[in-house]
């Protein structure tokens, strides 16, 4: 869980956050760079939380999400994407 900044007087709401990283030698690959970073909970999909990647100040905005897909489309589609 990452610490969250909040304005003075604002109500504190618990938010889950995760860091995706690699320990391999593939850190320079585009797909790996796209997937690694900090993700903050931002909604629900199939009764599971969804997470959106947070852009770093030196990077352009990104639209990278992690979400769970249930088995409604078959077992090969079920899981975290």
């Amino acid at each position: 869980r990452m610490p969250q900044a909040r304005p003075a007087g604002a109500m504190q709401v618990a938010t889950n956050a995760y860091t995706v990283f690699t320990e391999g030698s593939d850190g320079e690959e585009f797909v790996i760079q796209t997937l690694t970073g900090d993700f903050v909970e931002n909604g629900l999909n199939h009764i599971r939380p969804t997470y959106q990647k947070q852009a770093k100040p030196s990077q352009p905005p990104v639209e990278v999400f992690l979400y769970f897909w249930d088995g409604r489309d078959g077992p090969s589609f079920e899981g975290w994407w």
Side-chain angles (χ1 to χ4, degrees):
R1 178 170 258 172
M2 296 173 46
Q4 300 292 314
R6 61 185 171 102
M11 195 169 92
Q12 185 172 359
V13 177
T15 301
N16 289 321
Y18 296 94
T19 299
V20 176
F21 64 94
T22 179
E23 293 181 341
S25 60
D26 52 2
E28 297 301 315
E29 293 182 24
F30 177 76
V31 172
I32 300 300
Q33 289 181 354
T34 300
L35 293 174
T36 56
D38 298 325
F39 288 77
V40 175
E41 187 175 337
N42 74 331
L44 292 173
N45 187 60
H46 296 190
I47 314 174
R48 301 275 181 106
T50 60
Y51 301 90
Q52 183 173 10
K53 184 176 179 180
Q54 302 300 290
K56 294 181 181 177
S58 62
Q59 296 176 333
V62 293
E63 291 192 18
V64 179
F65 297 89
L66 299 175
Y67 60 91
F68 183 82
W69 197 261
D70 65 17
R72 69 181 70 190
D73 294 320
S76 62
F77 292 102
E78 185 175 1
W80 287 93
W81 293 83

